[in-house]
Amino acid sequence: MVDEVILLDYWPIMFCMRVSIALAKKGLQYESREADMWDKIPTLIHNGKPVCESLIAVQYIDEIWSAKAPLLPSDPHERAQARLWAEFVDKKIFEDSAWIWRGIDVEASKKRLIESLKVLEAELGDKACFGGNKLGLVDIALVTFYSCIEAECSSLVAWGRRCVQENESVAKSLPDSHKIYQHVMEMRRNKFSLE
């Protein structure tokens, strides 16, 4: 039986990009269906069964197609650490980025964002990727925020550039940062709120 894989997504949403990267990294064929931004996206539908939430969907993809380009380490402790850092990205990087995009409390949010990015920079250290030498869960979680990484975090800027240049799955899944910026500005003009 051939797997039917559908991704309900919306192009500027970073969480949707994560699932696209994971599918591309595994070399999987899938149908992308643009959904309304207000729907529960991203939603991965595998043989008629939905999987919601980007980090859960990425881990699901890794479990189902485990033989192709693993995204999580095989060691249980390393796997737990990867999940911890991916969750850190969702809780810290997304939250402060969202405040900045909305134009609310920008200076304080930017300061918190830089502090969180510095924590991630320390975790990355001198490794090529968070999991060592290959793109993994934490890299996928963070690289969709590449356009938000501040210049003060030069190691992360270099890491993001490598992720895009050395991984076709990343390069083809990330829209142009200027296009995303224009979209965010348009949403602001239309009084968009993430609340």
Side-chain angles (χ1 to χ4, degrees), residues 52-114:
C52 298
E53 300 296 326
S54 65
L55 290 178
I56 293 170
V58 169
Q59 292 175 68
Y60 176 87
I61 290 165
D62 198 44
E63 289 176 24
I64 295 297
W65 294 280
S66 60
K68 298 179 179 185
L71 302 174
L72 281 158
S74 58
D75 177 77
H77 183 263
E78 290 176 13
R79 198 165 47 247
Q81 291 302 302
R83 289 180 173 130
L84 171 86
W85 287 110
E87 189 67 25
F88 179 89
V89 170
D90 272 4
K91 288 184 177 170
K92 298 290 188 175
I93 307 305
F94 171 68
E95 183 177 309
D96 290 320
S97 297
W99 283 105
I100 293 167
W101 297 330
R102 292 165 61 193
I104 300 171
D105 200 18
V106 173
E107 288 309 311
S109 297
K110 188 174 179 179
K111 183 178 181 215
R112 286 190 308 270
L113 176 62
I114 291 170

Side-chain angles (χ1 to χ4, degrees), residues 10-189:
Y10 184 60
W11 71 268
I13 303 297
M14 293 160 171
F15 303 109
C16 296
M17 293 175 214
R18 289 176 176 174
V19 181
S20 295
I21 292 169
L23 290 166
K25 186 71 179 167
K26 296 279 187 175
L28 300 171
Q29 297 295 316
Y30 67 97
E31 178 187 345
S32 178
R33 292 184 189 166
E34 189 160 307
D36 186 276
M37 185 173 148
W38 304 109
D39 289 341
K40 186 138 184 84
I41 55 170
T43 298
L44 176 73
I45 303 170
H46 177 222
N47 294 332
K49 297 177 184 174
V51 179
C52 298
E53 300 296 326
S54 65
L55 290 178
I56 293 170
V58 169
Q59 292 175 68
Y60 176 87
I61 290 165
D62 198 44
E63 289 176 24
I64 295 297
W65 294 280
S66 60
K68 298 179 179 185
L71 302 174
L72 281 158
S74 58
D75 177 77
H77 183 263
E78 290 176 13
R79 198 165 47 247
Q81 291 302 302
R83 289 180 173 130
L84 171 86
W85 287 110
E87 189 67 25
F88 179 89
V89 170
D90 272 4
K91 288 184 177 170
K92 298 290 188 175
I93 307 305
F94 171 68
E95 183 177 309
D96 290 320
S97 297
W99 283 105
I100 293 167
W101 297 330
R102 292 165 61 193
I104 300 171
D105 200 18
V106 173
E107 288 309 311
S109 297
K110 188 174 179 179
K111 183 178 181 215
R112 286 190 308 270
L113 176 62
I114 291 170
E115 289 170 2
S116 296
L117 289 169
K118 290 286 186 188
V119 170
L120 286 167
E121 204 168 39
E123 175 60 22
L124 178 63
D126 60 359
K127 299 178 292 210
C129 294
F130 281 91
N133 292 324
K134 60 182 181 167
L135 192 79
L137 177 68
V138 182
D139 303 286
I140 291 171
L142 183 59
V143 77
T144 59
F145 289 93
Y146 178 51
S147 61
C148 302
I149 296 175
E150 299 290 330
E152 294 92 331
C153 303
S154 59
S155 295
L156 282 183
V157 170
W159 159 86
R161 191 177 310 114
R162 275 193 315 274
C163 283
V164 172
Q165 292 173 346
E166 297 174 8
N167 294 281
E168 185 181 343
S169 59
V170 174
K172 74 179 197 179
S173 298
L174 294 183
D176 179 69
S177 60
H178 298 296
K179 188 175 175 185
I180 292 174
Y181 178 79
Q182 290 171 344
H183 183 75
V184 169
M185 291 299 104
E186 181 64 29
M187 291 186 326
R188 258 198 216 169
R189 281 191 291 278

